[in-house]
């Protein structure tokens, strides 16, 4: 029989009194109490800057100083959406000056997010299967798959810059000769977009693979044994067991990556492609805020629009996740 | 030793109550906090960063520390000692700091410091390309008001005029910044390859003070490439970046007779009240000349052969410098520092270096003006001492030392004779002098950052033949006129 040993005498200090006070709290109140510090940090470091950005977006740009101008309501948004702000960065894709830069950046960003997340998901799934299978040299394969994820973005950018730099990049001439790229891939919007997307897929597929692998590992092996008894093919096992059970994890992974892809900036700059060749929404914010005449109001308006776009994508994903959980009987 | 009782308890699924656990944590926490409270050995009980705080002085006292946001070449190079010898009182400590080397990052860091009303740095070396927006915003000290008239007159009389203009308020004409060193481009070339093509010392001597036209120059390079084992003809910087707008395109534009805003008089404003002339015939000639030296399309009024590789539309200074130094090209357009680089690289090889000014167009030979000027933080808490440093920095002894240690050209034409005696730069002095006498500033105003990105974007697209020079000119004209109209 186990006897409970008396613990050390605790002085009746303030923390002990707090602990006693929590004894009388309901479960729900106690949960909120534990969450309070996190919420406080979130308020300070996330909601407050967001609220400041929203507020800033309603004030005029003052190009001759670091101050905000007068209150202008939705004028910054209207000017951006109607291409009425001559101080906004120049149009990149369409030099005819007809397409609003915001439209171009939004198109470019969403296209990048869709392509890169799709590529990362497919490649990540393949990687995950490869990491899960039993064979000689599996450890080395796992290491090689995870390695790009460990490389800092600046080094990654340098690798792709050296591959595609004009004149003496490793792949510049071969790809030009077979007609895939121009001689100046880092300066050409289409080529630059492809380079940035491939660079992003190369790096973050490993992250997707790790999340998917975690999902795969959690699938009950008994289900596969039952499928074997019933004579299911490999494809049927994947379609009816693996994919549906990994789907919720996959959606969460895609949600994370989509949020990251919609904020793309670092990879564009570090590869040497640059914001003026491949504009993204975040590029617009940085160019307005720092690269031009301190267009704080317009930059804030763009950042609010980014937040809205990201919010829309999150809502769509959460809908998918909820539905897949219902199908699996989790909710 | 394993506690069998505890494992047994766990296996039965019994858990410790949350409240008991919290109590225990509370007790541990109390002990932990008690342990922390008496702790020492941190990184400064005052919450500081460990750096020594200088003795503060009021703005009117001579003494304390003057912090100079300078550059890596000025750190640990003996500048404080030289400045003291040139007249800065010993009671003043001069601290050279190492800002970001990238001009854009330095500009941003300075803007952040001023917006935060930081008292440090007291003095800043600002790029002549972005000082005027700071001046117009009132973000720098008006030296005309703060320093004695005799010193201001000396600077105006002795300094390189076009550099003084980049530190002068465009409307009031007051001096806000003092030139530290000018920078300008030249053409470095391989004499050995040109000799093989039939040119000789008499040609080299002539070009130093009388550069060939763009047409003749391209022909010379073409001949040299034909008979030599080199990959490239003429290298320059045509990438889509600030340097294309301010400098390389500006050189083509001005030499062909074109202008951003009708001429030199309107370079610094008034915004919205000056003509935009980027779609004029002569301005289009400037774009055509730049395109022709790559593609040789024959559209420019001069017969310019295509002697630059298409890759120049993706290259900036470091690319062309390294290619020229390893012997891959006949000629290169680059800043003065590249001369020193080539001298070092060619040592002990068969390669022979020559330097000439940039080729001429119908409007002459023009060189983009770069360089840095000394400005004062309006929130400095040590203005009197900072003024002493500015005064001393204008002394010949300091400027000579600056040239000796960092190869930065003096901002006074009267000191060019000193450059002439230098082992590295002396042999090329005549070409350097010609360049300094034919400088073209960029049109620095508060809206130039926006305008330069448009110029770079459109001209680069023309260099890559994604659009015609006419289309590039029209696009620039429309967009820059819209900026002028909105900001005027």
């Amino acid at each position: 029989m186990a006897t409970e040993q008396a613990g050390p005498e605790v002085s009746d200090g303030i923390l002990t009194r707090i602990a006693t006070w929590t004894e009388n709290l309901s479960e729900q109140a106690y949960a909120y109490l534990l969450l309070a510090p996190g919420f406080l940090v979130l308020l300070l470091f996330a909601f407050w800057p967001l609220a400041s950005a929203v507020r800033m977006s309603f004030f005029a740009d003052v190009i001759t100083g670091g101050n905000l101008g007068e209150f202008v309501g939705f004028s910054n948004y209207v000017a951006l959406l109607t291409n009425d702000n001559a101080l906004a960065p120049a149009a990149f894709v369409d030099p005819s000056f007809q397409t609003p830069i915001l439209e171009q950046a939004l198109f470019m960003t969403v296209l990048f997010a869709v392509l890169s997340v799709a590529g990362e998901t497919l490649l990540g799934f393949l990687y995950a299967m490869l990491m899960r299978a039993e064979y000689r040299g599996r450890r080395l394969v796992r290491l090689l798959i995870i390695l790009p994820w460990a490389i800092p973005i600046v080094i990654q950018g340098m690798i792709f810059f050296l591959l595609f730099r004009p004149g003496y990049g490793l792949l510049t001439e071969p790809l030009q000769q077979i007609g895939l790229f121009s001689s100046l891939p880092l300066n050409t919007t289409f080529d630059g977009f492809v380079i940035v997307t491939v660079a992003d897929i190369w790096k973050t597929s490993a992250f997707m693979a790790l999340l998917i692998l975690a999902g795969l590992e959690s699938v009950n092996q008994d289900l596969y044994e039952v499928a074997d008894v019933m004579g299911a093919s490999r494809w049927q096992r994947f379609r009816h067991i693996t994919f549906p059970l990994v789907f919720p994890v996959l959606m969460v992974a895609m949600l994370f990556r989509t949020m990251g892809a919609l904020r793309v900036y670092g990879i564009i700059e570090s590869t040497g492609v640059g914001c003026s060749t491949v504009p993204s929404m975040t590029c617009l914010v940085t160019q307005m805020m720092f690269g031009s005449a301190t267009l704080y109001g317009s930059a804030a308006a763009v950042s609010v629009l980014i937040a809205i776009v990201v919010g829309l994508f999150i809502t769509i994903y959460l809908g998918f996740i909820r539905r897949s959980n219902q199908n699996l009987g989790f909710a | 030793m394993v506690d069998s009782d505890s494992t047994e308890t766990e296996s039965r699924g019994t858990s410790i109550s949350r409240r008991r656990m919290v109590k225990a944590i509370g007790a541990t926490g109390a002990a932990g906090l008690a342990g922390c409270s008496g702790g020492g050995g941190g990184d400064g009980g005052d919450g500081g960063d460990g750096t020594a705080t200088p003795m503060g002085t009021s703005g009117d006292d001579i003494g304390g520390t003057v912090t100079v946001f300078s550059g890596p070449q000025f750190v640990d190079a003996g500048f404080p000692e030289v400045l003291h010898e040139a007249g800065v009182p010993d009671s003043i400590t001069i601290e050279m700091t190492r800002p970001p080397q990238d001009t854009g990052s330095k500009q941003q860091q300075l803007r952040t410091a001023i917006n935060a009303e930081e008292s440090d740095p007291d003095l800043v070396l600002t790029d002549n390309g972005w000082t005027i927006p700071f001046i117009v915003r009132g973000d720098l000290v008006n030296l005309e008001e703060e320093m004695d008239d005799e010193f201001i007159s000396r600077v105006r009389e002795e300094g390189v005029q076009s550099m003084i203009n980049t530190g002068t308020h465009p409307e009031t004409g007051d001096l806000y910044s003092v030139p530290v060193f000018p920078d300008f481009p030249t053409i470095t070339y391989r004499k050995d390859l040109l000799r093989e093509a039939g040119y000789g010392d008499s040609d080299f001597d002539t070009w130093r003070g009388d550069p060939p036209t763009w047409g003749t120059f391209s022909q010379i390079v073409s001949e040299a490439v034909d008979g030599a084992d080199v990959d490239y003809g003429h290298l320059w910087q045509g990438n889509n970046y600030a340097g294309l707008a301010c400098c390389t395109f500006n050189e083509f534009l001005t030499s062909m007779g074109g202008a951003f805003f009708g001429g030199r008089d309107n370079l610094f404003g008034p915004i919205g009240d000056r003509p935009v002339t980027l779609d004029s015939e002569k301005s289009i000639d400037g774009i055509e000349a730049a395109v022709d030296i790559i593609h040789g399309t024959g559209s420019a009024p001069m017969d310019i052969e295509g002697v630059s590789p298409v890759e120049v539309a993706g290259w900036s200074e470091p690319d062309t410098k390294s290619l020229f130094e390893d012997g891959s090209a006949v000629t290169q357009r680059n800043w003065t520092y590249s001369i020193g680089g080539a001298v070092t690289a060619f040592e002990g090889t068969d390669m022979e270096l020559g330097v000439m000014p940039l080729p001429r167009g119908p409007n002459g030979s023009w060189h983009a003006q770069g360089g840095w000027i000394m400005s004062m933080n309006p929130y400095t808490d040590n203005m009197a001492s900072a003024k002493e440093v500015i005064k001393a920095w204008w002394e010949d002894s300091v400027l000579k030392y600056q040239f000796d240690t960092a190869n930065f050209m003096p901002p006074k034409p009267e000191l060019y004779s000193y450059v002439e005696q230098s082992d590295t730069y002396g042999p090329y002095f005549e070409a350097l002098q010609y360049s300094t006498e034919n400088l073209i500033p960029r049109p620095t105003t508060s809206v130039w950052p926006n305008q330069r990105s448009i110029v770079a974007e459109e001209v680069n697209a023309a260099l890559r033949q994604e659009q015609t020079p006419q289309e590039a000119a029209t696009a620039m004209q429309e967009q820059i006129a819209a900026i002028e109209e909105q900001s005027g």
Side-chain angles (χ1 to χ4, degrees), chain A residues 4 10 15 22-23 25 27 30 63-65 85-87 90 97 165-168 183-184 187 276 290 292-294, chain B residues 18-20 22 26-27 30 108 111 137 239-240 310-311 313-315 319 447 450 454 457 464 479 482-483 486:
Chain A
E4 195 176 36
V10 177
L15 286 168
T22 59
E23 292 271 2
L25 288 175
E27 286 288 331
Y30 187 72
I63 60 162
T64 54
N85 186 352
L87 288 160
F97 196 45
R165 73 189 298 189
Y168 39 101
S183 58
L184 295 163
N187 290 65
S276 53
F290 308 116
S292 63
T294 54
Chain B
R18 188 196 72 205
R19 307 202 188 292
R20 268 180 56 201
V22 171
Q108 189 51 44
R111 186 185 286 161
R137 283 197 297 259
N239 196 11
N240 177 4
V310 288
E311 286 84 2
W315 283 338
D319 301 301
V447 290
N450 301 72
I454 291 163
E457 180 76 31
R464 288 182 287 116
Q479 294 174 70
I483 289 175
Q486 185 177 315

Side-chain angles (χ1 to χ4, degrees), chain A residues 21-179:
Chain A
W21 173 69
T22 59
E23 292 271 2
N24 304 318
L25 288 175
S26 67
E27 286 288 331
Q28 199 172 12
Y30 187 72
Y32 282 127
L33 183 72
L34 289 180
L35 287 170
F39 273 126
L40 199 66
V41 170
L42 205 61
L43 274 172
L44 267 174
F45 295 102
F47 291 113
W48 181 70
L50 187 65
S52 295
V54 173
R55 179 183 162 272
M56 203 186 277
S57 71
F58 295 124
F59 288 84
D61 294 322
V62 179
I63 60 162
T64 54
N67 306 313
L68 288 174
E70 57 190 21
F71 182 81
V72 291
F74 285 94
S75 293
N76 289 328
Y77 293 93
V78 173
L80 283 163
L81 293 165
T82 58
N83 208 28
D84 217 19
N85 186 352
L87 288 160
F92 308 90
V93 186
D94 182 2
S96 67
F97 196 45
Q98 297 306 310
T99 315
I101 178 63
L102 187 75
E103 220 171 86
Q104 293 182 17
L106 183 63
F107 168 75
M108 195 74 83
T109 307
V110 172
L111 185 66
F112 171 81
V114 169
L115 292 176
S116 65
V117 173
E120 284 153 21
T121 306
L122 284 172
L123 205 56
F125 222 110
L126 286 171
Y127 282 168
M129 305 288 254
L130 204 60
M131 287 160 91
R132 193 171 176 237
E134 296 282 350
Y135 52 90
R136 267 185 72 177
R138 190 175 72 155
R139 278 187 172 188
L140 180 66
V141 170
R142 282 189 169 196
L143 176 73
L144 290 173
I145 287 171
I146 291 167
L147 197 62
W149 181 243
I151 292 174
I153 196 164
V154 176
I155 308 296
Q156 180 202 6
M158 186 67 72
I159 291 166
F160 279 84
F161 172 72
L162 293 172
L163 287 174
F164 295 103
R165 73 189 298 189
Y168 39 101
L170 199 69
L171 297 179
T172 309
E173 206 176 326
L175 290 175
Q176 189 199 343
Q177 280 173 348
I178 58 172

Side-chain angles (χ1 to χ4, degrees), chain B residues 86 144 147-161 164 175 178-179 387-388 390-399 411-415:
Chain B
E144 192 104 26
M147 299 189 77
D148 58 76
D149 294 345
E150 187 268 331
F151 175 73
I152 298 293
S153 303
R154 264 184 60 207
V155 172
R156 287 193 191 282
E157 284 164 22
E158 297 170 359
V160 175
Q161 192 52 52
I164 289 167
L175 187 75
V178 174
K387 288 194 288 191
E388 293 298 317
I390 290 179
K391 272 195 269 189
W393 209 306
W394 193 246
E395 293 301 316
D396 291 3
S397 59
V398 175
L399 297 173
K412 296 181 183 179
E414 70 189 41
L415 289 180

